[in-house]
Amino acid sequence: MRNSFLPVNQDDMAQRGWDVCDFVLISGDAYVDHPSFAAAIISRTLESAGYRVGILAQPDWQNPEAFRLLGKPGLAFLVSPGNIDSMVSRYTVNRKIRHQDAYTPGGEGGLRPDRAAIVYSSMARQAYKGVPVILGGLEASLRRLSHYDYWSDKVRRSVLLDSKADLLMYGMGEKTMVILADLLKEGRPIRDIRDVRGTLYAVNSPDDLPPEVIVLPSFEDISTDKKLYADSFLTQYRNTDPLLSKTLAEPCGTRFVLQNPPAFPLTREEMDQAYRLPYTRKSHPDYDAAGGVPALKEVEFSLVHNRGCYGGCHFCALTFHQGRIISSRSHESVIQEARKLIDDPEFKGYIHDVGGPTANFRKPACAGQALHGACRDKQCLTPEPCRNLEVDHSDYLSLLGKLRKLKGVKKVFIRSGIRFDYLMMDKDETFLRELCEHHISGQLKVAPEHISERVLQLMNKQKHPVYRKFMKRYEEINRQLNKKQYLVPYFISSHPGSTLKDGVALAEFMKETGFVPDQVQDFYPTPGTMSTCMYYTGINPLADEAVEVVKKEREKRLQRALLQFNKAENYTMVREALLLEHRADLIGSGGKCLIPFYSGASSSGNPTPAKRPVKYKEKKKKR
């Protein structure tokens, strides 16, 4: 089994007859050879192109010797901080250190450094001077130009400069990585590689800028002028499409960071090839004693059928990382991978997911995207669906039906996010009916995110009546199928634009529908999102309008408490929030009241709210 993995030490290299690795990939995650892990895809892609790749997973970042474990790479170090930004992996939204990390053996926290892109690149330089360092992965992709950093509460310059890497790869990197590898193999000095899509590089003089470049405001200017920051971000946002984007240049001191246009999305054949590579689909056996890697358990028996998302949620970084144009795999490719799951001795008959960024997107939003790219100034779904949007679930339905018929498969679940607004546009209800009948078990997780029309507009989400319409139809179809299945909606508190009044309205909606979440999602300002730009600047760049932003911890806690108004420990904060909003009418024993007159009592004559289970759990117990 060990020999099926790429080398992690020199003994592994010797068994393969290697004296040197062409590339040494430094990963902030444990080594999991599964296509849901970026390091696995990049390393296997290089292997299929004929290159020798070794893996340094979560090396000791304080010891240069740990970065010499595989010897000096023949072509370059590749630095991939992990599937998640290292600061998100290390800290909660309250900036408290996490004690667990799902991407480490046994879930142990503390095995990756803060700002792993910078630290790993520096250590690679120390280990072997003169070896090119190529930075990639999500952290690099979303920090590729100057960005607001929530953890230090300031604007930081491009991570390319802070890391002192030679090149930065952004977006989905299979095509870009092989092009770079071939150029290095041919002997091209890395300092001369300046024309590869999906990369950034730095130059020292304005004389080195290419023609037709868009020059952004400088790092120094956007660090002190929030309006300029918002303008710069909007320019970047409008240059994320491979067909429409121009080269961007950002001055920083005496240097310029240049961003080439994005790489083109993979074709169906290329995507099939990426998932056909010989992944073991397991974590490295070195981690067996620790119980493996928890993150693998979430995806081990899941299938990815698409990439990209034209949903355009402003709190999501997909537009900056994967782009808005959908790529999808062929049915044959997905079924072939499903058969590999079935052959796994640990497979129990349940495919946990057939999804991607958005499960029910199988093709580009319209035919025009293939010719002209995704529109710069228009969205596909909001504020109203584009008239050119092609709504069709038939291909996804066909794929799901084929998977259900495979021998050895008992159930095929869909656990990735489903765009219920897109679903409700489909005049053919077959997908919704089959979803309820075959692909969920007890509950369906959806993401309405809020009920305030103003907040939803700032989030770039569908209007609230669409969710109410979906709730009603979902309930009706489950009743027709004689199934007791419930919705579990996700809501975000303290998003830019969300006031305490909006939080009260959201709590009233939860009271009305009988659902109170077990966990609350506070808005987390991560790099590369429109919402984070709004959070930092107090400006909506798309409308050039001021946005009210909650930054004081007390008000954030009040909004968060309102989303769990029935918890006894939240009583004081909920009461404070209601009185601040002059909503004493929601305190008492009436049916619409959120809390009783005093802590420990009931607002409706039932058991105390803190002990009363939410609606879907009550019904689940009766089954």
Side-chain angles (χ1 to χ4, degrees), residues 324-376:
R324 290 170 55 196
I325 298 177
I326 303 296
S327 300
S328 62
R329 298 166 62 188
S330 68
H331 290 197
E332 294 73 18
S333 172
V334 178
I335 290 168
Q336 183 182 43
E337 187 178 0
R339 289 198 171 105
K340 292 179 181 178
L341 301 187
I342 295 168
D343 291 340
D344 190 316
E346 297 180 20
F347 183 68
K348 306 300 181 185
Y350 300 96
I351 295 177
H352 295 165
D353 188 24
V354 184
T358 298
N360 54 328
F361 290 170
R362 275 288 292 171
K363 62 181 184 179
C366 66
Q369 285 190 350
L371 299 173
H372 311 295
C375 298
R376 268 204 177 106

Side-chain angles (χ1 to χ4, degrees), residues 63-123:
N63 180 9
E65 287 304 315
F67 292 79
R68 299 186 180 109
L69 185 64
L70 288 167
K72 183 178 179 180
L75 294 176
F77 276 112
L78 308 177
V79 175
S80 175
N83 269 19
I84 300 176
D85 186 290
S86 60
M87 299 302 284
V88 177
S89 293
R90 290 269 287 156
Y91 297 93
T92 70
V93 69
N94 298 319
R95 299 186 178 96
K96 295 180 180 179
I97 291 180
R98 300 184 194 270
H99 299 295
Q100 295 183 318
D101 185 336
Y103 290 87
T104 65
E108 182 183 355
L111 296 186
R112 75 177 81 224
D114 291 359
R115 310 191 190 285
I118 297 171
V119 175
Y120 287 154
S121 297
S122 174
M123 296 304 292

Side-chain angles (χ1 to χ4, degrees), residues 10 15 29 91 210 237 277 325 348 380 398 441 443 463 480 526 553 593 613-614:
Q10 298 219 14
Q15 288 185 15
D29 294 336
Y91 297 93
Y237 186 77
L277 300 174
I325 298 177
K348 306 300 181 185
C380 303
S398 174
S441 178
Q443 57 191 43
K463 296 179 180 179
Q480 293 168 12
T526 55
E553 183 57 32
C593 291
V614 294

